[in-house]
Amino acid sequence: MAAAARTFDAIVVGSGISGGWAAKELCERGLSTLVLEAGRPIRPEIDYVEHVPPWQVHFRGLGDRRALERDQPIQKHCYACDEWSGKFFVNDTDNPYTTAPGKPFDWIRGRQVGGRSIMWGRQVYRWSDLDFEANAKDGFGVDWPIRYADIAPWYDYVEDFIGISGETLGLPQLPDGKFLPPMQLNCAERWVRERLAGRYGGERVVTIGRCAILTKAHRGRAACHYCGTCERGCITYSYFNSVHVTLPAARATGRLTLRPYSVVHSVIFDERKGRATGVRVIDAQTKQPLEFQGRVIFLCASALESTRILLNSKSASFPTGLANSSGELGRNLMDHTMGGGANGTIPGFEDRIERGDRPNGIYVPRYRNVRDQHPDFLRGYAFQGGAGRSGWGRGSSQAGFGPGFKHALRTPGPWRFTFYGFGECLPRPTNYVEPDPETVDAWGIPALKIHCEWSDNERKALQDMSVTAAEMLEAVGATDVSPFVNDNPPGLTIHEMGTARMGRDPKTSVLNAHNQAHDVKNLFCTDGACMTSSANQNPSITYMALTARAAAYAVEAMKRREL
Amino acid sequence: MNRRDVLRVLGGAATVPLFAGLSPGELRARGITTHARARGRALQVLDPHQSETVATIAELILPETDTPGARAAKVHEFVDVLLAEWYDDKDRGRFLAGLADVDTRCRGAFGVDFLGASEAQRTAILAGLDAEVAALRAAHAKPDDHFFSRMKWLTLYGYYTSEVGMMEELRWQVIPGTYDGCVERQQPAPGGF
């Protein structure tokens, strides 16, 4: 490659949810942009497998048990790492990390163009000032340097481009967006929604999930056809991922250079200029080191990968990692808790079924600690879930065989409704990552050691989820109500965030209000690493909005010659 | 894009990448591996007697009625794949021992192997096994290790994920096109779900 081709206006590390947005915005605003992706390229017409039926995969969807145990013992904990989509998850042997004894952390990763945007959960919820003010109010973490008013126009901008379906509710704790028509609730969900409204008024509301799936054609992409398995790809481009939405927009400008198989080792820091001047890369296939130069650098490699790159970027000025004068780099790791809830049987509707496979469920916006304060825990949680009828699968645990048994399985079981909670995690400096000097990945790059565990606050909220979920099901008249609390390790919710937080004070935070490193003005980080608190909403839309906002700021600052 | 366009796109996506652009030599090599795999699939673990016994039990669990049964869905081949490539030695051994035990029970009761028994005799053997699983369940014991519990699971899973099971019994639609959350169900019939 010629020297000229190694110098760009901007370098973006990562091509997923955040990297795709950085690429689009920086290219559209006139910068020649290099996107470095650690993994392989994705060709939708070959790699998307959502319509491959079970009988065409070798283990009928059970997965290659031996290969999973050997190569993906951690990744296989994610529901989407199945016989179709397992190829979108990393090989755990090539991508090691370590944890502290007794503190498991499931780090679920996707290394390919599109990153985890290919198999993400697609749920999209705005944050509100209840979230942005939380740290300042109760003293955990530092204050966010932004408020809802700062990000609201960027939520509008991002949502309009990617297309979000959902229902407006007018709730202050969960701001509405400009939505495409909502997907339908099913019979049992409508029944729960109506009865819940009768019992709790507007305080506890069942709505359809707000999701990045099109319910009508939008900006050249087709409406959802309800095959139901978005995490395997979508040949009609009906859900958002960066492969078929943001990266094509970046490519259309003619300013995008996308380089797959490029594992970023570290950021190059020029001591004399006090600037980041480029990145060191290991070619994933040849394992040869390379360098690329850029005037501005966006880290969008995922929360822990971006932090890992910074921790591995050591220099005389920054011996513990680039932009770490605060000592906060690596600290305040968060994930959402998940798995407190309840299920129950909804009477009736026996002559009714769903037609089509809706890749979305219900949502119950946060109601705890919105107006009053619960005595046992801070912050809040929300429920996802939904209702459905059991099918042939129940036959394995029933007596009988023969024609009557086979035909009885044609009648679906009763409607069962589940509330499944997702809870906020407090930012704590004792949950942190550091380089593990003993462990390197397949490219010789030092791996992370992760120290993370839930605190009592998270556990108490998880318990409360099961209590209030059961309470709601009893209140609406469900039968056979079973509360549950699943014990999931941090990481498995795949909302890991923090470790390079935004803040007002360079002494206590890594990034400023524009996702710009306090210490290095031409270095930005806009993925989950930047998060100052976790809220309880699925975070991806906030990463997208922060990325678009930061990119606009960076380009304006370059024009003013501040960078 | 309407539904027909979608199907056209999908058809293209499904067929093009598989063999496109391969030289005759490469095609032949591909063909040999495919056939080797297909041959391997037929009998990796189960011998002909065992395979026929599995197919016969599976067909008794999910028989041909107004739709094809487990034998037409080749459930025994699916069982063989799992035994060979998915189960560990312990689970494989347990399954094969349970399968042999079906013959032992049949000889004890009727003086013939399962395959040599009449339909009524076979049904009686399975009813006895099924009752044992039900008793374990009633006693809140895990029935997972009982041969018939595992055999029933394998039969159901193998059948309802087969082309026959999904297309003819479940009448699965790969691309429904729309979602309706509350429609009237057809009376119990294939695909009435």
Side-chain angles (χ1 to χ4, degrees), chain A residues 45-46 50-51 53-55 58-66 184-187 190 222 224-227 235-236 349-358 389-392 394-403 405-407 409-413 415, chain B residues 1 6 9-10 13 17 41 60-63 65-68 78 81-82 84-88 92 123 126-127 130 137 152-153 156-163 166-167 169-170 172 174-185 188-190 192-193:
Chain A
E45 68 278 15
I46 291 170
E50 73 277 19
H51 300 124
W55 67 85
H58 191 54
F59 294 100
R60 302 279 184 87
L62 295 173
D64 187 339
R65 178 177 173 174
R66 293 172 195 170
Q184 289 182 25
L185 296 172
N186 65 37
C187 319
R190 292 174 203 172
C224 176
H225 53 269
Y226 299 97
C227 76
I235 204 66
T236 60
F349 305 107
E350 278 147 24
D351 60 339
R352 298 275 154 172
I353 55 166
E354 297 172 272
R355 187 143 290 152
D357 198 346
R358 184 190 66 190
R389 307 184 71 171
S390 63
W392 58 264
R394 72 186 190 280
S396 298
S397 52
Q398 288 178 349
F401 58 90
F405 176 77
K406 179 184 169 190
H407 287 192
L409 289 176
R410 291 176 179 176
T411 300
W415 289 92
Chain B
M1 185 180 270
V6 170
V9 169
L10 301 174
R41 244 178 233 186
L60 280 165
I61 294 171
L62 293 176
T65 55
D66 51 351
T67 60
F78 168 69
V81 166
L82 288 202
E85 301 174 43
W86 208 84
Y87 277 21
D88 59 23
R92 185 187 314 108
T123 303
L126 293 200
D130 200 40
R137 203 166 273 124
K152 192 186 274 188
W153 186 88
L156 265 63
Y157 195 90
Y159 178 72
Y160 291 107
T161 59
S162 70
E163 183 167 11
M166 290 192 79
M167 301 311 289
E169 174 66 18
L170 299 176
W172 180 61
V174 59
I175 301 167
T178 56
Y179 172 75
D180 191 323
C182 201
V183 296
E184 196 167 344
R185 184 171 71 89
F193 207 114

